């Protein structure tokens, strides 16, 4: 079985500040990890994914995440927040025989203040 | 556009009625997924279709829920005798081959409200 925990349902930052959204996972098989973003009234869009290889993954819009097996974490960061980053972010895991079926965290709403 | 489309975008129904939600995946994508997004449960997997294989129905919450995929393309999610707890946003996604590496492309969702 797999599960994802996102620490903090709401995160608020100032424009230009560091964005850090936390994600911890549990998986009995090597995990494949994803971050998705959802803007209001839109579907989910893939930001980045980790499958194998380099543990620091770069995605769209300046976001990156680092897979840390020892900490079972896959935190999402961005050095400088923009107003347009305001959205809900979901961490997800798949792996093993799940055939790409995603197990999502509860989501983190990011607010960016001017 | 060439993305995943869903219809209707909003559906309001009365408790006990049946509803059908439609998903048009990206052309050429062999895998199709349904998820449900609700306040209490977050994002939950419902069902997965891959090519001509038998679907993975392990996420369907009850036998009131069913889905079919015709001709390997369009999919319809049917909820019979709707209940208030069925109120949620139903999201459809497709991917090229359904593998664990494959990116899933999501539609905008159908917001279902059961009165």
């Amino acid at each position: 079985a797999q599960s994802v925990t996102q620490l903090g349902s709401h995160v608020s930052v100032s424009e230009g500040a560091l964005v850090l959204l936390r994600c911890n996972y549990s998986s009995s098989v090597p995990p494949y990890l994803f971050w998705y973003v959802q803007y209001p009234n839109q579907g989910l869009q893939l930001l980045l994914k980790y499958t194998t290889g380099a543990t620091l993954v770069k995605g769209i819009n300046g976001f990156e995440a680092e897979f840390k097996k020892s900490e079972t974490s896959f935190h999402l960061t961005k050095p400088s927040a923009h107003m347009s980053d305001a959205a809900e972010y979901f961490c997800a895991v798949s792996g093993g025989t799940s055939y790409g079926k995603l197990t999502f965290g509860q989501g983190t709403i990011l607010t960016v203040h001017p | 556009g060439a993305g995943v489309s869903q219809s209707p975008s909003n559906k309001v129904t009365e408790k006990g009625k049946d509803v059908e939600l439609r998903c048009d995946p990206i052309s050429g994508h062999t895998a199709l997924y349904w998820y449900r997004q609700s306040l209490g449960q977050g994002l939950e997997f419902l069902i997965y279709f891959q090519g001509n294989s038998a679907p993975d129905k392990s996420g369907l919450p009850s036998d009131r829920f069913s889905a079919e995929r015709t001709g390997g393309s369009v999919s319809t999610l049917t909820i019979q005798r709707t209940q208030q707890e069925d109120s949620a946003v139903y999201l459809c996604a497709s991917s090229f081959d359904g593998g664990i590496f494959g990116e899933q492309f999501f539609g905008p969702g159908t917001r279902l409200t059961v009165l």
Side-chain angles (χ1 to χ4, degrees):
Chain A
Q2 297 176 315
S3 66
V4 173
T5 301
Q6 291 183 237
L7 302 177
S9 58
H10 290 80
V11 171
S12 180
V13 301
S14 298
E15 192 172 20
L18 171 71
V19 175
L20 171 61
L21 305 183
R22 299 178 186 273
C23 171
N24 288 88
Y25 69 90
S26 174
S27 178
S28 57
V29 297
Y32 302 100
L33 296 157
F34 305 80
W35 275 99
Y36 281 84
V37 60
Q38 186 177 35
Y39 298 102
N41 300 315
Q42 295 186 27
L44 279 74
Q45 179 183 7
L46 182 68
L47 275 178
L48 49 79
K49 65 181 180 182
Y50 167 79
T51 53
T52 58
T55 57
L56 181 62
V57 180
K58 295 186 184 299
I60 62 172
N61 301 338
F63 284 93
E64 62 182 38
E66 186 171 11
F67 169 60
K68 292 186 176 180
K69 183 178 179 181
S70 61
E71 299 178 6
T72 62
S73 70
F74 191 58
H75 302 330
L76 181 70
T77 61
K78 182 174 181 178
S80 176
H82 294 172
M83 298 294 292
S84 60
D85 294 328
E88 188 163 15
Y89 292 79
F90 293 91
C91 183
V93 64
S94 70
T97 59
S98 65
Y99 308 113
K101 179 172 63 179
L102 296 170
T103 299
F104 287 91
Q106 291 295 318
T108 298
I109 296 173
L110 175 66
T111 303
V112 182
H113 297 286
Chain B
V4 177
S5 61
Q6 294 185 246
S7 61
S9 55
N10 282 282
K11 176 71 176 180
V12 180
T13 190
E14 294 179 347
K15 178 181 173 180
K17 301 279 190 180
D18 297 352
V19 295
E20 287 189 348
L21 311 180
R22 178 187 168 104
C23 172
D24 284 87
I26 293 172
S27 178
H29 281 192
T30 63
L32 187 147
Y33 306 79
W34 283 98
Y35 294 88
R36 178 169 72 173
Q37 186 175 24
S38 58
L39 283 178
Q41 302 298 323
L43 267 161
E44 306 170 278
F45 165 80
L46 295 177
I47 188 169
Y48 158 69
F49 296 89
Q50 172 57 50
N52 296 321
S53 302
D56 177 352
K57 304 179 183 180
S58 61
L60 295 179
S62 78
D63 59 7
R64 296 186 294 104
F65 287 73
S66 62
E68 63 177 19
R69 188 178 185 191
T70 54
S73 180
V74 172
S75 177
T76 302
L77 177 68
T78 301
I79 308 174
Q80 296 179 309
R81 306 180 302 281
T82 53
Q83 304 294 312
Q84 288 183 333
E85 60 262 30
D86 299 335
S87 296
V89 176
Y90 290 82
L91 293 170
C92 177
S94 69
S95 71
F96 180 68
D97 63 1
I100 55 176
F101 297 157
E103 176 179 353
Q104 294 182 29
F105 295 82
F106 283 80
T110 293
R111 181 175 297 277
L112 175 65
T113 303
V114 182
L115 302 177

